[in-house]
Amino acid sequence: MDKQEKFYVTTPIYYVTDAPHIGNTYPTVAADIIARWHRLRGEKVFFLTGTDEHGEKVQKAADAAKEEPKVFVDKISLRYKEAWKTLGISYDKFIRTTDPEHLDAVARFISKLVENGDVYKGQYEGWYCVPDESFFTELQLKDGKCPDCGREVKRVKEDSYFFKLSKYQDRLLELYDKNEDFLSPKLRRQEVINRVKGGLKDVSMTRTTVKWAVPFPGDKDHFVYVWVDALINYISALGWPDGTFKVFWPADVHIVGKEINWFHSVIWPAMLMSAGIELPAMIFAHGWWTSEGKKMSKSLGNFVDPVSLSSKYSVDAIRYFLMREMPFGEDGDFSEESLKARINGELVADLGNLVYRVLTLAEKFDGKFDGSADLEKHLDVVGIDESMDRLDYYGALEKIWAFIRSSNKYINDNKVWSLKGAEMSNALYNLLEACRICSILLYPFMPDTAQSIAQQLGVEMGTLKDCKFGAFTGKPKRGKMLFEKVLTK
Ligand code: MSP
């Protein structure tokens, strides 16, 4: 199959220590939107998500719950699946790192690194942050604490196998140089390049003290470090080296949070180089949400639960808000007041109002909807598609909204409600086509809303190639309001 026709997107796989929250809902919704966008383009899409189930952190959570690790991870993993169902996540596969096929792939992958002479035995001595499952040197610590999350680190001294990351410094720098998009978005590029230029240390890839892990092939005292195990999910899920791997690999984009960018932009490509496997096209590192101005944390109890949020607000409004509040890549703050402001302003007053007004007038009009495409000049499908290529959801929504606002303005400027005959026919033709095209463009972001618009227009949901003015062939019938106004403080 032509590479152009396939699209493979992944989310990070989530630690099954607790139920999902808005922080890990974010990359999942982002991946869902881009997967749906590529399906609209007519491409063959594979969208992977799942759960990261081994390691010290998960083991500790199971111990705290007084449960066997496997029983515990089965339960939490299910909560992720349920949450993604509620949020309309259209994944093609949900991988669990406790899946037998994955365990097998990890052992095979590591054997390749060993065969290629990139693994040696030594001793690791340094610091370890359990919540982040990350090793740090003395110099990397900030005030004696984890430089990423600020929590306590512990001293670790144990025998370990190492992966020769240092060997790949030049090849990594060449990769970044030749592939502009590999490190995305642009604002993250330089920090990775500078750090790699500063020199790479070999990385510890096994532990002897953590046994809730994949056994290391060839040495029964060693267990695979959870990050090495986790990264391999992106190919094990495809049945590497056969099956769908042949169709979908390399990944078109791995969506990751900025704090795990290093593992994906540096360690993962070096591991793939060592195993002789093609590299992904893009690593996109998104930013972080705070909650009502504060870092989300267990101790503060301010984790936003997407499932309970969806019993208060529509799933589509939540999905829209996540992509609209800040550009993908930057940090932002989650607050219910801002969510409400977006619902009342953009979803009710702009989009909902447009569809409601157009459908009310169209239902009453007795005649054909016909005319010249006056509104098409406000529509920039190529620009929207280009934004989506860069995972610039924010930019794409701005352009879609410019079109929605122009359509509302057209109603007001032309006093459409007072028009008659051919003038009314022309105006309604434009507005119905605008609504139809919006239903397609909005579908990846708000699937239920988009389908409701198409249904009210009496048309089939189209694809991206239908995003141009043509003949309007629907039979409009106004349905219920797309969004309800919500009370603000
Ligand atoms: N298990 C690893 C990933 C392995 S991928 C091979 C992991 N899991 S995680 O559950 O801790 O985090 C998963 C993702 O959720 C990360 O991309 C992280 O950035 C994201 N978020 C967690 N909290 C977040 C916010 N408060 N805001 C935005 N995203 C954050 O890391």
Side-chain angles (χ1 to χ4, degrees):
M1 189 171 51
D2 187 323
K3 283 278 189 294
Q4 288 288 298
E5 291 172 18
K6 71 91 189 166
F7 184 74
Y8 178 32
V9 55
T10 67
T11 70
I13 48 172
Y14 306 111
Y15 288 128
V16 281
T17 43
D18 221 329
H21 53 81
I22 211 75
N24 41 40
T25 300
Y26 187 45
T28 314
V29 167
D32 184 63
I33 294 171
I34 203 69
R36 287 176 189 263
W37 187 266
H38 282 263
R39 290 190 197 115
L40 278 187
R41 272 194 197 163
E43 294 170 13
K44 202 172 158 75
V45 171
F46 199 91
F47 164 18
L48 175 72
T49 189
T51 41
D52 193 352
E53 307 191 355
H54 293 123
E56 192 167 355
K57 171 175 164 135
V58 172
Q59 165 86 64
K60 283 207 154 120
D63 291 349
K66 298 197 173 42
E67 281 182 323
E68 279 303 311
K70 186 61 169 70
V71 174
F72 180 74
V73 298
D74 283 351
K75 223 187 310 186
I76 308 275
S77 183
L78 192 63
R79 292 190 68 177
Y80 273 87
K81 280 194 175 163
E82 286 166 355
W84 299 160
K85 191 165 179 204
T86 305
L87 294 165
I89 304 300
S90 62
Y91 58 77
D92 294 290
K93 183 172 168 106
F94 187 103
I95 188 170
R96 299 181 54 190
T97 53
T98 49
D99 290 342
E101 300 79 4
H102 174 75
L103 305 182
D104 178 59
V106 171
R108 281 186 286 116
F109 188 95
I110 290 177
S111 302
K112 273 205 169 278
L113 307 192
V114 174
E115 275 164 36
N116 295 345
D118 282 343
V119 177
Y120 62 92
K121 199 170 180 181
Q123 194 182 52
Y124 175 79
E125 188 170 3
W127 298 94
Y128 196 77
C129 170
V130 178
D132 286 347
E133 296 280 19
S134 294
F135 296 100
F136 295 105
T137 61
E138 183 80 37
L139 279 178
Q140 284 175 311
L141 301 186
K142 252 194 211 140
D143 304 326
K145 302 252 169 71
C146 170
D148 285 347
C149 70
R151 284 173 284 201
E152 292 294 331
V153 285
K154 64 175 189 181
R155 188 86 191 154
V156 174
K157 185 175 177 183
E158 58 189 48
D159 286 348
S160 179
Y161 284 87
F162 285 83
F163 169 60
K164 283 189 192 164
L165 181 65
S166 56
K167 178 173 147 185
Y168 292 93
Q169 180 175 7
D170 292 344
R171 281 179 65 187
L172 286 168
L173 289 170
E174 192 185 320
L175 162 74
Y176 308 146
D177 188 44
K178 290 207 173 121
N179 302 275
E180 275 271 307
D181 293 335
F182 186 82
L183 300 174
S184 287
K186 284 213 159 45
L187 71 116
R188 305 251 178 260
R189 200 176 145 74
Q190 213 47 47
E191 69 191 40
V192 174
I193 294 179
N194 291 348
R195 237 181 107 181
V196 173
K197 277 189 179 155
L200 291 174
K201 277 194 155 38
D202 294 344
V203 287
S204 171
M205 61 185 295
T206 64
R207 309 224 24 212
T208 52
T209 51
V210 180
K211 298 193 166 52
W212 176 240
V214 185
F216 184 71
D219 189 337
K220 63 176 178 20
D221 294 331
H222 286 254
F223 294 85
V224 179
Y225 168 42
V226 63
W227 264 103
V228 170
D229 160 6
L231 288 164
I232 298 169
N233 95 89
Y234 300 129
I235 59 170
S236 71
L238 298 180
W240 168 72
D242 304 310
T244 36
F245 177 81
K246 291 204 165 125
V247 180
F248 288 103
W249 191 259
D252 293 83
V253 55
H254 289 313
I255 293 179
V256 305
K258 61 179 180 180
E259 86 291 7
I260 58 172
N261 195 19
W262 182 256
F263 291 100
H264 287 83
S265 297
V266 181
I267 300 179
W268 178 227
M271 281 166 59
L272 289 167
M273 285 172 185
S274 170
I277 299 173
E278 250 189 287
L279 302 179
M282 182 192 280
I283 310 293
F284 194 104
H286 65 75
W288 267 58
W289 286 97
T290 47
S291 163
E292 313 275 349
K294 298 199 181 74
K295 189 173 165 50
M296 280 187 227
S297 81
K298 240 187 174 162
S299 47
L300 289 175
N302 62 350
F303 274 115
V304 180
D305 167 11
V307 177
S308 52
L309 200 67
S310 71
S311 59
K312 261 170 110 179
Y313 307 97
S314 80
V315 164
D316 280 359
I318 299 168
R319 291 170 59 108
Y320 172 79
F321 176 80
L322 288 177
M323 295 301 129
R324 189 67 177 108
E325 190 63 0
M326 77 242 193
F328 199 50
E330 291 175 23
D331 297 334
D333 184 51
F334 190 96
S335 77
E336 278 196 52
E337 284 311 301
S338 337
L339 169 61
K340 288 181 195 169
R342 297 248 174 223
I343 293 176
N344 289 342
E346 289 147 30
L347 298 181
V348 176
D350 296 335
L351 176 63
N353 197 23
L354 172 69
V355 172
Y356 188 81
R357 291 206 285 175
V358 173
L359 266 294
T360 307
L361 293 170
E363 219 180 24
K364 277 200 244 148
F365 184 70
D366 190 16
K368 276 190 77 163
F369 306 110
D370 210 357
S372 58
D374 313 329
L375 270 173
E376 198 164 24
K377 60 177 180 291
H378 299 291
L379 174 67
D380 179 13
V381 178
V382 173
I384 295 167
D385 202 24
E386 280 170 4
S387 296
M388 292 303 276
D389 262 337
R390 296 190 302 274
L391 272 70
D392 176 12
Y393 304 93
Y394 183 90
L397 284 172
E398 291 229 297
K399 293 184 195 89
I400 298 171
W401 243 260
F403 183 55
I404 293 172
R405 290 191 171 130
S406 304
S407 304
N408 270 326
K409 185 167 183 302
Y410 177 89
I411 300 182
N412 298 344
D413 291 354
N414 296 297
K415 298 194 174 54
V416 170
W417 56 88
S418 64
L419 299 179
K420 300 230 160 15
E423 280 184 338
M424 184 59 137
S425 170
N426 179 60
L428 286 176
Y429 160 72
N430 272 282
L431 292 163
L432 288 164
E433 279 295 83
C435 290
R436 181 183 64 77
I437 291 167
C438 281
S439 77
I440 303 171
L441 296 172
L442 290 173
Y443 169 76
F445 296 89
M446 299 188 277
D448 290 345
T449 305
Q451 266 150 351
S452 170
I453 300 173
Q455 198 190 359
Q456 296 191 37
L457 294 171
V459 298
E460 290 281 315
M461 229 7 259
T463 67
L464 268 197
K465 63 178 182 339
D466 304 313
C467 287
K468 52 180 185 282
F469 280 61
F472 181 80
T473 54
K475 295 221 172 355
K477 186 164 184 348
R478 202 181 74 197
K480 73 174 183 37
M481 298 279 279
L482 298 178
F483 295 95
E484 301 282 345
K485 217 171 154 106
V486 286
L487 279 179
T488 52
K489 261 186 199 153

